């Protein structure tokens, strides 16, 4: 057999076996989406986030993070977060457990939740509850749980709340408390 024929036969065998391995093993190949079903975790998280102008918009610390890529969800333990508006502190949050959904479009804080809103006067308003749901993009907060609110003028209990940190609008339900002027 001459070498030219030997090369052609070898090339045909290589092409056939390559095609067989490619097409025959296609069903057994690892799918790209399978990596999305992985859960990642990290300890001692420190995060600083900036806005489109490059100004600090968020600083956060957490003891532990578990992230599920398939469900686009995450769970944080012992979250301490500070939010900023035009690089000035405007709020802080603490919760023992935080679950986020849909790539952080909905965040549910639970277990000893403390939210603080820094007012323009330099004073602060605090909210204590067992569960608080936040929507970071719209800066809305809400709960149907009992919430204790303390401000410079008042201290009261409410069975639920809706708040918007952008415009400072708060809605409380079934209020019990005292108001001072």
């Amino acid at each position: 057999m001459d070498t030219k024929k030997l090369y052609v036969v070898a090339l045909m065998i290589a092409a056939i076996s390559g095609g067989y391995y490619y097409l025959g093993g296609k069903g057994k190949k690892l799918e790209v989406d399978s990596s999305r079903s992985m859960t990642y975790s990290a300890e001692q998280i420190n995060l600083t986030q900036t806005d489109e102008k490059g100004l600090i918009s968020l600083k956060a610390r957490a003891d532990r993070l578990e992230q599920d890529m398939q469900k686009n969800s995450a769970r944080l333990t012992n979250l301490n977060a500070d939010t900023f508006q035009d690089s000035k502190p405007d709020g802080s949050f603490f919760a023992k457990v935080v679950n986020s959904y849909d790539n952080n479009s909905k965040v549910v804080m639970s277990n000893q939740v403390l939210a603080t809103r820094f007012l323009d006067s330099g004073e602060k308003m605090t909210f204590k509850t067992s569960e608080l749901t936040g929507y970071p993009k719209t800066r809305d907060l809400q709960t149907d749980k009992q919430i204790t609110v303390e401000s410079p003028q008042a201290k009261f209990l409410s069975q639920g709340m809706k708040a918007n940190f952008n415009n400072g609008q708060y809605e409380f339900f079934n209020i019990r408390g005292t108001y001072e002027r």
Side-chain angles (χ1 to χ4, degrees), residues 18 25 123 129 156:
E123 297 174 312
T129 186
F156 58 91

Side-chain angles (χ1 to χ4, degrees), residues 64-134:
R64 181 170 176 76
L65 164 70
E66 294 175 24
Q67 187 174 20
D68 186 328
M69 299 300 287
Q70 186 175 17
K71 296 178 182 174
N72 289 327
S73 64
R75 180 181 182 93
L76 293 158
T77 306
N78 291 327
L79 173 71
N80 282 293
D82 299 308
T83 59
F84 297 83
Q85 190 75 24
D86 297 323
S87 287
K88 290 187 269 182
D90 77 336
S92 68
F93 300 91
F94 171 79
K96 290 273 188 188
V97 177
V98 177
N99 291 299
S100 73
Y101 305 96
D102 300 324
N103 286 327
N104 297 323
S105 64
K106 177 182 178 182
V107 178
V108 179
M109 297 171 272
S110 59
N111 202 346
Q112 299 179 9
V113 178
L114 175 63
T116 303
R117 170 83 161 121
F118 300 112
L119 306 173
D120 292 334
S121 63
E123 297 174 312
K124 61 184 180 179
M125 180 183 287
T126 61
F127 308 91
K128 296 176 188 173
T129 186
S130 61
E131 183 176 289
L132 189 61
T133 302

Side-chain angles (χ1 to χ4, degrees), residues 5-19:
K5 287 182 184 178
L6 196 57
Y7 283 131
V8 170
V9 169
L11 188 60
M12 285 177 33
I13 291 172
I16 290 170
S17 50

Side-chain angles (χ1 to χ4, degrees), residues 38-66:
M38 297 179 74
T39 300
Y40 301 98
S41 66
E43 306 278 331
Q44 301 304 316
I45 310 301
N46 288 300
L47 167 77
T48 301
Q49 180 178 335
T50 58
D51 62 14
E52 61 279 348
K53 298 175 192 171
L55 302 173
I56 293 175
S57 62
L58 175 72
K59 282 188 177 183
R61 298 158 304 289
D63 290 346
R64 181 170 176 76
L65 164 70
E66 294 175 24

